[in-house]
């Protein structure tokens, strides 16, 4: 049960998330990096969801990035103009990643891979996209996130050892198939919808349709969807507040970075106190990372971007939950893909 006071380790995790996310955002702004959302959000994902960085975690993150790069590069070259074939192949690529997640043996590899692959395939399908730049941005953002995570844990280590992680649940083969097919189906349909309606500027909504699937079942997805909606609202409101406060100065970096750090720190505190993986705080800080990392520039209005992110994310959550429920019910009709006891 969540408490109202942070433990010493909890405070240190909040500081790691806030400083790590701010370093990623600062690198994006200073070097005018393409796809700044990768550089800003990945450190927060790694520091927020993984209690301790180690070589195994780093290998999974790097492997996910390399596989995404290879798959996107090949698909963009061969199936760039064939959306139906690309969607069919995408389903297979999503399926094996969700299978890793369902088994729990390489959850980070599957989770990071399915999120990045969906976004990268969507971007790569547009003729004006420099696919090599897209792949390189994701790869170097992954390396930077790993370096930031190691540095943050070295500078701000935990005072006490964390408890050992709980053992992996003993899942039946039918439940593993259920979770893998459910995740791959919803993710593929999401990818298809964003392609058909040419929703190039809805990365937050697209990411949300995938993140809500990480609990790997219908009940967990529904619970997380509510938290994600609340977190998105809080993150967008904070972003709008920053732009209103700064008014015409919102492109001045030394003013933006402290406010960004403050927002991430506040949301990281909520995230740590929730102690529920990806909850309201996690949704708020990743929403803020997407807004600041991808859409904050002198040429763009963060207020319009924020309100668009908010409305599109809510629509995406409702649609994803409807599809998730229908696929869940359908899979439960067959013994080979039954989730388990009702």
């Amino acid at each position: 049960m969540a408490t109202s006071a942070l433990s010493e380790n909890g405070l240190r995790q909040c500081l790691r998330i806030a400083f790590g996310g701010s370093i990623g955002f600062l690198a994006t702004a200073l070097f005018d990096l393409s796809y700044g959302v990768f550089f800003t959000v990945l450190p927060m994902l790694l520091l927020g969801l993984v209690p301790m960085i180690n070589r195994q975690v780093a290998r999974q993150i790097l492997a996910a990035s390399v596989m995404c790069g290879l798959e996107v590069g090949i698909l963009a070259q061969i199936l760039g103009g064939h959306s139906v074939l690309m969607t069919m192949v995408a389903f297979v690529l999503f399926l094996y990643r969700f299978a890793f997640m369902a088994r729990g043996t390489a959850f980070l590899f599957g989770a990071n891979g399915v999120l990045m692959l969906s976004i990268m395939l969507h971007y790569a399908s547009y003729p004006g996209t420099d696919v090599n730049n897209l792949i390189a941005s994701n790869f170097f953002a992954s390396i930077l996130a790993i370096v930031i995570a190691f540095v943050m844990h070295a500078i701000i280590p935990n005072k006490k050892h964390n408890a050992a992680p709980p053992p992996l649940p003993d899942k039946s083969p039918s439940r593993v198939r259920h979770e893998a097919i459910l995740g791959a189906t919803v993710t593929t349909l999401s990818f298809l919808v964003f392609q058909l309606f040419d929703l190039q500027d809805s990365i937050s909504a697209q990411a949300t349709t995938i993140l809500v699937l990480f609990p790997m079942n219908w009940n967990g997805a529904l619970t997380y969807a509510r938290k994600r909606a609340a977190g998105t609202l809080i993150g967008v409101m904070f972003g709008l507040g920053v732009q209103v406060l700064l008014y015409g100065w919102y492109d001045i970096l030394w003013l933006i970075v402290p406010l960004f750090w403050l927002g991430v720190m506040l949301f990281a505190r909520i995230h740590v106190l929730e102690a529920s993986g990806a909850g309201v705080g996690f949704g708020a800080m990743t929403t803020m990372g997407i807004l600041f990392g991808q859409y904050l520039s002198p040429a763009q209005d963060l207020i319009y971007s924020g309100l668009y992110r908010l409305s599109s994310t809510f629509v995406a959550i409702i649609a994803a939950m409807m599809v998730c429920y229908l696929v869940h019910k359908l899979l439960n009709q067959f013994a080979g893909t039954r989730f388990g006891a009702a």
Side-chain angles (χ1 to χ4, degrees):
M1 185 174 179
T3 62
S4 59
L6 283 172
S7 66
E8 190 168 8
N9 276 3
L11 175 59
R12 287 170 174 267
Q13 184 179 8
C14 290
L15 290 170
R16 289 195 296 265
I17 295 170
F19 280 111
S22 297
I23 292 171
F25 171 64
L26 187 60
T28 298
L30 285 177
F31 299 103
D32 193 23
L33 299 172
S34 301
Y35 306 102
V37 63
F38 294 151
F39 294 89
T40 306
V41 173
L42 280 176
M44 290 192 286
L45 287 173
L46 195 51
L47 291 166
L49 296 182
V50 182
M52 181 61 66
I53 186 70
N54 53 44
R55 291 181 181 178
Q56 182 182 3
V57 170
R59 282 196 294 266
Q60 288 192 45
I61 297 297
L62 276 181
S65 178
V66 170
M67 287 300 296
C68 283
L70 291 173
E71 291 162 354
V72 170
I74 293 171
L75 286 179
Q77 289 291 327
I78 298 176
L79 301 177
H82 306 280
S83 56
V84 175
L85 287 175
M86 180 178 281
T87 302
M88 294 170 64
V89 174
F91 173 80
V92 176
L93 300 180
F94 293 141
L95 183 63
Y96 87 79
R97 286 176 166 85
F98 274 106
F100 274 114
M101 294 168 66
R103 294 188 181 96
T105 52
F107 187 91
L108 273 177
F109 169 79
N112 189 63
V114 76
L115 181 62
M116 293 300 114
L117 179 65
S118 180
I119 294 171
M120 291 171 69
L121 280 179
H122 182 61
Y123 275 134
S125 66
Y126 291 93
T129 300
D130 183 343
V131 176
N132 291 330
N133 184 27
L134 174 65
I135 294 170
S137 295
N138 178 257
F139 178 71
F140 287 115
S142 298
I143 292 178
L144 179 63
I146 292 169
V147 171
I148 288 174
F150 273 109
V151 171
M152 288 297 103
H153 277 280
I155 296 175
I156 315 174
N158 286 334
K159 281 293 185 182
K160 297 183 294 183
H161 290 295
N162 288 320
L168 295 175
D170 186 17
K171 298 180 181 179
S172 66
S174 64
R175 176 173 172 176
V176 170
R177 286 190 288 267
H178 179 103
E179 292 179 348
I181 295 172
L182 174 68
T185 301
V186 177
T187 302
T188 303
L189 290 175
S190 168
F191 170 72
L192 185 59
V193 168
F194 278 85
Q195 289 285 289
L196 291 175
F197 291 96
D198 198 23
L199 300 174
Q200 188 174 6
D201 199 33
S202 300
I203 185 174
S204 181
Q206 186 180 8
T208 294
T209 61
I210 300 166
L211 289 171
V212 295
L213 300 171
F214 282 9
M216 304 300 293
N217 60 78
W218 156 247
N219 291 328
L222 183 62
T223 300
Y224 177 66
R226 298 191 187 107
K227 293 180 178 181
R228 180 72 189 183
T232 299
L233 176 61
I234 296 170
V236 167
M237 290 301 104
F238 184 89
L240 298 185
V242 168
Q243 182 155 4
V244 170
L245 176 65
L246 296 181
Y247 196 55
W249 297 342
Y250 69 96
D251 57 330
I252 300 177
L253 200 57
W254 65 269
L255 293 176
I256 285 289
V257 173
L259 291 173
F260 179 84
W261 182 93
L262 177 63
V264 176
M265 185 66 183
L266 291 173
F267 300 146
R269 183 180 186 276
I270 298 173
H271 167 67
V272 172
L273 289 177
E274 284 178 304
S276 61
V280 176
F282 184 78
M285 69 183 183
T286 52
T287 296
M288 216 181 86
I290 292 171
L291 278 174
F292 281 71
Q294 193 71 11
Y295 301 106
L296 184 68
S297 72
Q300 293 200 9
D301 182 2
L302 193 63
I303 293 179
Y304 168 78
S305 295
L307 294 177
Y308 178 70
R309 301 285 89 67
L310 186 62
S311 59
S312 63
T313 297
F314 283 170
V315 171
I317 287 174
I318 294 171
M321 287 302 94
M322 290 174 62
V323 174
C324 186
Y325 176 75
L326 293 174
V327 175
H328 167 77
K329 297 296 286 186
L330 177 62
L331 292 174
N332 265 355
Q333 301 304 309
F334 306 99
T337 56
R338 191 162 293 147
F339 180 77

